[in-house]
Amino acid sequence: MKKENSNENFVEVRHLKKYFPAGLKGTTRQYVKAVDDVSFSIKKGTTMGLVGESGCGKTTVGRTMLRLYPITAGEVFFDGVKINDLSRRDLRKMRPRMQMIFQDPYSSLSPRMPVGEIIGEAVREHNIVPKEDLDNYVSDIMNACGLPYRYSRRYPHEFSGGQRQRICIARAVALKPDFIICDEPVSALDVSIQAQIINLLQNLQEEFGYTYLFISHDLSVVEYISDTIGVMYLGSMVEYGDKKSIFKHPMHPYTQALLSAVPIPDPDHKMNRVILEGDIPSPINPPSGCKFRTRCEYASDICSKIKPEFNNYLDGHEHEVACHLYPQDHQEQRVIS
Amino acid sequence: MSNKENNRDNTQYLTIKEEKAIARENKKIMTQFEREKNRKNVDESEYTTQMRNPSNVIEFDNLHTYFYTDVGVNKAVNGVSFVVPEGKIVGIVGESGCGKSVTSLSAMQLVQGPVGQIVDGSIRYTTSEGKCYDIAKMPRDEMRRIRGKEISMIFQEPMTSLNPVFKIGEQLDEALEIYNENLSASEIKARSIEMLELVGIADPENIYSNYPHELSGGMRQRVMIAMALICEPRLIIADEPTTALDVTIQAQILDLLLEVKDSIKGSIMLITHDLGVIANMADYVVVMYAGKIVEAGEINDIFKNPKHPYTVGLMRSLPSLSNIENQEKLFSIPGQVPNAVNLPDYCYFCNRCDYSFDACYESYPEDILFEDGHRAACFLYADRFKDLDLNRPQLPKNIASSSDDQFARKIPQGRVDFESINNPKEKL
Amino acid sequence: MNNQLYKNEKHNLSAEKNTKKIEQGRLAKKEREAVNSSESDNFKALSPTRMVAKRFFRSSLSVVGLTMVIFVFVFSFLGPTLVKGIWDYGETEVFHIPRESQLLSTASFEGADGRTYEYYDKSTSTITVKSPPSAEHPLGTDTNGFDILIRLMYGGRISLMISFLTVFLQLIIGIFLGGLAGYYGGWVDQVIMRIVDIFASLPGLPILLVLSAVIASIESIPAEHRIYYLMGFLTLISWTGIARLVRGQILSLREQEFMLAAETTGIKSSRKILKHLIPNTIPQLIVSATLSLGGVILYESTLSYFGIGVPFPRAAWGSMIAMADPSKGQEILANYPNMWLPAGILIVITVLGFNFVGDGLRDAFDPRQKR
């Protein structure tokens, strides 16, 4: 396993594509383009937030990165190792280092397995700690995640949503991972519990230096936890960059609409919403050119013809956007009316 | 794990004896209530009453709704009193299991019997004919005249609230037909299409003959709203109407709700866990915790000057309100909501509360009234503890003042001016 | 690992200066916390098994079913031992109980005068079999002089044993093949499911009849062993239901997030199937197995009725009913209901009982049924 990418980026995704077959239309096979050419990288010990509405492919990005789904095209590097090429055996050995926390704490725990076994099962399988230390290790992990060890014989259904999410985190953390994909870990939880889980994730990151990919539709949570943010729309990334830059100066019309739609919990705040018309188009036949053009009020001719490229416009900030509103490299500076 | 046998806890399960006792007790109570509800030909005077204030649409007075479950009595709603004034939006916030949905279901008499029963209290409602009924005592048959026509409901899941085998139009027509028997078929259809137009569906004629699965989530929620409004109810109960939707669609639906409320001159009871939605929609807010109202008042009182430690904690635990700039830790309320089956006889929140003191463990606090109907159930503000030197919760400065940069987040629309951003003077 | 991690999370917001009052309050709080150290501890839940049991016993039909099944079990397994201990006889003990049988025979002939004459002959004979119910033999004896009650007991014993064994074999084959098909999918699934289709489309009873005739003709197989071969065939044509069930269950479970979670932890496939998938199909398997127990008993009775099941002189409910076979004369059917009716009633009770229990279990395991 030789290192192929630069050392700086701990996790790197290049032109990732994931198509799901979706039946036949006439004689041609149709595909749901769930993820269509997505690239990003995460530095070690940082958190990248991935936001977008349901069906934009953000969950699929996470699952494809771990090869839970076969990769259609593109490359995924993890700590210098190209995930695409790994054999089943090597991948299985790699698994503990890349963990995932799922959205639904109810369906992501096997209902007929006691909690201690859920957490300890893979630890034993991968020989992460010596056999005789396993109980103590599970006990430590459970404590670290805010679960008393005496619960280890209980079954998942005896816990509340927040506690179940703690169990999921404990299962992931127990494998001593480097990289954790958090797929909407708090969207099924209540506000006060949400804060507990976010704090737990942050404390663990501080303690063990985890790298997170934090997938969520909740912009305020992503804003709080992330260092960099990627905004996805219909399988593609439309804006990517430093958190502060994105939240202060959202450039893509979709990001702007998304940010303005988040209800601010302050009665004095007069919402200045950009109401997007219509619904997300079908990912089977996405619009040509820029995928957002069907709902974009600034759309012009060029948007339907040429797919906009990612470009950085802000000096000194890591902030890229794919939009024809801003001058593209391959053409003359365009005047936008 | 076998060597830690002593760590095993078996205390969590009921013994067979306890279980039998609960079952016996439940059966007795449930049959009694069911008999009461199924009576025929009840004299109207039995459930006619008088509103406290005629300008209210609905008044909840000391409502208790219990569920007689296998593990004991679940006091889902445990003494809730609030009113919905005419033409206003009352937001009910609280975490899952706090009884906010059960309160609304009680108003519709839709609590799943025989397990769930309205045990005590009254729900006073004035019909459009000017009669005032106590919904809590109304017999089941009579209730049908109120449901849908007078009070209607919008549910959380637009995916499952529509019947998949009927066309949208058929479902709308049906709702209208029940209460307007003298309308002709073409009049009904015209009205249905008019309703679809009202909720902002671009092509109502076409959608009228579509099946639910052909519509997107946002469209379905629009249809649900159309269905709820078709009989021009005086009160709309919206139970988490946007929770299942994306933010951009949520913004559409919330705007729509505000619009239609004015067009039919109704009131809305908006149930949600999202404080952001409440802040944008409601005139009054009711905060519930473990089946009781911990704080209620006008929107500005609640958001600017919250009194109860739970409300304060809730506000502070929102990432969008926390001081993200300084990367401070998010505030979190420790612990969990107590189980509604085994509630203590003192304040339900005290063991999660950072400000609790002796009195909190002795009895349940009474409502303390502040100015203008703002009330909170907390001993911290009781007259008899006024002189004690207690910590009282305060919203941190940056949350309390809305002139803060956080709220004034100016979102550029359209093109961003690079000149100003790239200006080195203005650091991000 | 550091245990302090979680403690950090609780922010200490209170200011330093606390009055004595608050100090006491905090103390009280700590004490209470020590007593019920967690919120979820101060209330008691129902254990999962008891929850199922509670829902099961809530339906009176399943209680009736369970009573029937228990009765049949006690009758067939305790009964013979009891009889053996007290009266010391078994299923093939022959009792010769002489009794006077009044025979009235009529005959007619045509007389010389062309008229038909009838004459009656009254005679008394002594027969030792087919004795009517008495104190010693509550259901009487049959054509061979065997005690009917004890034969019912032994018949039940063999029926139950055969059905349990057959269902057990079905489960093994069904879980194995269904599990493989469901977990691996693709061509494995295709091959296994086509095999299932073939077996499921075979007409069961005719094939069993033919096969049993073949087995009966093979002399190297002793008569007593014939029934075990038949059981094997019974299994072969009836495992398909279980396999389909397991495959369907696993297909839906495989899409659940906890299976994705198991995949991300990188555990072995065998473990995923055995520890994560199969345990979750067990409730449905129990229901299906209970329902098919009744089915197998019916099959076994049918075979015994045709005389190709449990061989004589072993007792079987089917062959006991067969004694009333009208093709051999109406006499037993009309005059000796004590010989065939009890066996029929027992079959009905057993099959009905298993079905009631199966339906009750299905409702009890169904999580949607909350009441």
Side-chain angles (χ1 to χ4, degrees), chain C residues 325-368:
Chain C
D325 188 354
S327 59
K328 291 172 196 151
Q330 297 282 342
E331 194 208 353
I332 291 177
L333 190 63
N335 298 339
Y336 296 96
N338 63 318
M339 280 170 64
W340 53 270
L341 199 58
I345 290 173
L346 273 174
I347 291 176
V348 172
I349 286 181
T350 318
V351 177
L352 215 54
F354 278 128
N355 281 332
F356 285 166
V357 170
D359 282 341
L361 282 175
R362 174 162 46 211
D363 292 346
F365 280 126
D366 190 353
R368 276 166 302 184

Side-chain angles (χ1 to χ4, degrees), chain C residues 271-326:
Chain C
R271 203 178 156 79
K272 271 192 284 185
I273 299 182
L274 288 177
K275 290 278 172 180
H276 290 253
L277 288 176
I278 300 293
N280 285 303
T281 61
I282 280 182
Q284 282 79 5
L285 282 177
I286 292 178
V287 172
S288 172
T290 314
L291 291 174
S292 68
L293 279 173
V296 175
I297 286 180
L298 280 182
Y299 253 118
E300 185 274 332
S301 303
T302 315
L303 292 179
S304 296
Y305 180 87
F306 287 121
I308 52 179
V310 181
F312 188 81
R314 297 266 92 80
W317 290 341
S319 52
M320 291 173 79
I321 295 176
M323 282 195 284
D325 188 354

Side-chain angles (χ1 to χ4, degrees), chain B residues 12-16 18-19 70 316 329-331 336 339 342 351 353-354 358 361 389-391, chain C residues 10-11 13 15 17-19 22 24-26 29 32 39 42-47 50 54 58:
Chain B
Q12 79 221 46
Y13 299 126
L14 288 169
T15 63
I16 291 181
E18 286 169 318
E19 186 192 320
D70 290 347
R316 294 185 61 192
K329 275 277 151 58
L330 206 56
F331 174 76
Q336 293 162 50
N339 196 292
N342 201 356
N351 51 358
C353 178
D354 280 311
D358 262 10
Y361 291 95
D389 188 11
L390 300 169
N391 289 303
Chain C
K10 213 169 166 180
H11 290 241
L13 290 150
K17 61 163 191 167
N18 282 330
T19 59
I22 301 178
Q24 282 171 354
R26 297 246 183 274
K29 187 174 167 181
R32 276 167 221 270
E39 281 75 9
N42 57 23
F43 113 101
K44 291 178 170 182
L46 280 175
S47 76
R50 284 255 296 290
K54 202 175 166 65
R58 190 167 284 156

Side-chain angles (χ1 to χ4, degrees), chain C residues 77-94:
Chain C
F77 286 93
L78 280 183
T81 332
L82 218 65
V83 172
K84 196 132 196 123
I86 299 173
W87 293 287
D88 191 34
Y89 60 82
E91 57 180 319
T92 50
E93 189 87 24
V94 180

Side-chain angles (χ1 to χ4, degrees), chain B residues 36-47 137-140 142:
Chain B
E36 191 85 353
K37 263 201 287 190
N38 285 333
R39 282 183 306 157
K40 294 258 178 335
N41 308 322
V42 186
D43 189 45
E44 209 178 65
S45 64
E46 261 189 60
Y47 52 88
K137 295 196 182 64
M138 244 172 141
R140 211 170 274 176
E142 296 296 311

Side-chain angles (χ1 to χ4, degrees), chain C residues 118-135:
Chain C
E118 279 189 6
Y119 74 86
Y120 299 90
D121 182 24
K122 235 174 137 184
S123 68
T124 309
S125 69
T126 308
I127 55 167
T128 55
V129 293
K130 295 196 274 189
S131 73
S134 63

